[in-house]
Amino acid sequence: MVDLRHHGDSEVGHGLLDFAVNVRDRTPPRWLAERIAASVADLAAYPDPAPARRAVASRHRRTPGEVLLTAGAAEAFVLVARALTPRRAVVVHPQFTEPEAALRAAGHPVERTILDGDFALDPDAIPEDADLVVVGNPTNPTSVLHSAGTLAKLARPGRTLVVDEAFADCVPGEPESLATRADLPGLVVVRSLTKTWGLAGLRVGYLLAEPALVRRLAEVQPLWSVSTPALVAACECSSPRAVAEADAWAAELAGRRARLAADLTALGLAVTPGARASFLLVRTPGADRLREALRTRGVAVRRGDTFPGLGGDYLRIAVRDDETNARLVGLLAELL
Ligand SMILES: Cc1ncc(COP(=O)(O)O)c(C=O)c1O
């Protein structure tokens, strides 16, 4: 049984060069940190999510009633697990393990659909009578991006389809995002501000769904769950200027990712093709030993064996700046 509650942050010890956690380098940007800091002046009042709801709705061309701010994407999974009583919940793996952990913690049985090979999603592999399906896009840890058309085929009346888009803004223009799709029944799109904006410690994300479902999920959310600084961050990160900044970063990320993938491939590591997020999934026999060796040389990469469907031969490597990536590649060349 794999440890569903293992996450990359526990692999980054003091002083280690971090290729294990997928938060963007040198974040939050100064302009954002300053606005969040300024919100401290308003902490005497209870938080009001209305402006953030409007800002997020406008960013995704939805209505405020289709938006629920959450304490990170992680809280959204807990709300889904609390509010729904699925008869047949299916989680598509390998993927981020918290959705399954939250469902299990709420007492729901969970089935897994395991993708293998190139980790492409075949909608026919999902049991027809599944009334809750959870899938990531692009997926952590594979970095694979499923098409909007493939995902849309999974939506149907009587089923809740949760699409975890925590890394969607790694893809310029977000062409495969379902965030704007108000037409798909039972769709819940979960977004995070943690990764691109470097706000892991603030806890801010949101979900988008039809208003009746948003109301059900809001009913099981602790009151004032999302703090005023987090709501300010949600407003700021939803502005056209912020979205353009993220998009420019995503375009530049693509080049660095391709160069790192080529370098790792040249070393004989099998890089999962089609990577579209801020990390690469790499397969090599004895990956665990390699990870330990990297650790003794001051570098942390994410183990693969705690993701259902991956074994001890996988590592996940965050894409950093070219210089930092080159340090990792140099070290790997020595070790391999
Ligand atoms: C795919 C995915 N979804 C959601 C989350 C959780 O994000 P948040 O910090 O917004 O709770 C993570 C964090 O690692 C993740 O990798």
Side-chain angles (χ1 to χ4, degrees), residues 49 53 64-65 67-70 75-76 79-80 82-83 207 209-225:
R53 276 182 117 154
V67 177
L68 184 65
L69 272 296
T70 56
E75 191 190 35
L79 301 184
V80 168
R82 277 188 194 151
L207 60 85
E210 56 211 7
L213 188 47
V214 165
R215 283 194 296 275
R216 273 178 80 188
L217 296 171
E219 260 168 37
V220 296
Q221 185 177 36
L223 193 58
W224 306 307
S225 173

Side-chain angles (χ1 to χ4, degrees), residues 72-74 77 96 140 164 166-167 192 194-195 203-204:
F77 305 131
F96 183 55
N140 172 14
D164 176 0
F167 290 97
S192 170
T194 289
K195 315 291 179 180
R203 313 307 307 133
V204 56

Side-chain angles (χ1 to χ4, degrees), residues 38-199:
S39 74
V40 167
D42 300 324
L43 289 186
Y46 280 97
D48 173 13
R53 276 182 117 154
R54 285 196 297 271
V56 169
S58 149
R59 185 243 187 276
H60 295 291
R61 300 196 293 281
R62 306 285 293 253
T63 60
E66 295 173 297
V67 177
L68 184 65
L69 272 296
T70 56
E75 191 190 35
F77 305 131
V78 174
L79 301 184
V80 168
R82 277 188 194 151
L84 307 184
T85 41
R87 285 183 322 281
R88 193 168 185 190
V90 172
V91 177
V92 180
H93 281 292
Q95 75 150 297
F96 183 55
T97 46
E98 278 301 319
E100 177 172 329
L103 287 166
R104 288 190 185 281
H108 305 303
V110 178
E111 282 176 53
R112 296 173 177 171
T113 294
I114 308 260
L115 308 180
D116 52 20
D118 58 3
F119 303 108
L121 177 64
D122 171 10
D124 293 337
I126 309 295
E128 193 50 44
D129 60 347
D131 56 354
L132 173 64
V133 175
V134 187
V135 59
N137 204 43
T139 308
N140 172 14
T142 63
S143 209
V144 167
L145 182 69
H146 307 302
S147 79
T150 302
L151 291 170
K153 281 192 196 138
L154 295 178
R156 64 203 56 189
R159 171 186 284 177
T160 305
L161 171 64
V162 178
V163 182
D164 176 0
E165 294 195 356
F167 290 97
D169 48 8
C170 291
V171 185
E174 303 189 8
E176 311 305 341
S177 168
L178 296 185
T180 56
R181 296 289 297 271
D183 59 312
L184 295 174
L187 174 67
V188 180
V189 172
V190 176
R191 305 277 299 211
S192 170
L193 299 181
T194 289
K195 315 291 179 180
T196 297
W197 297 108
L199 299 177

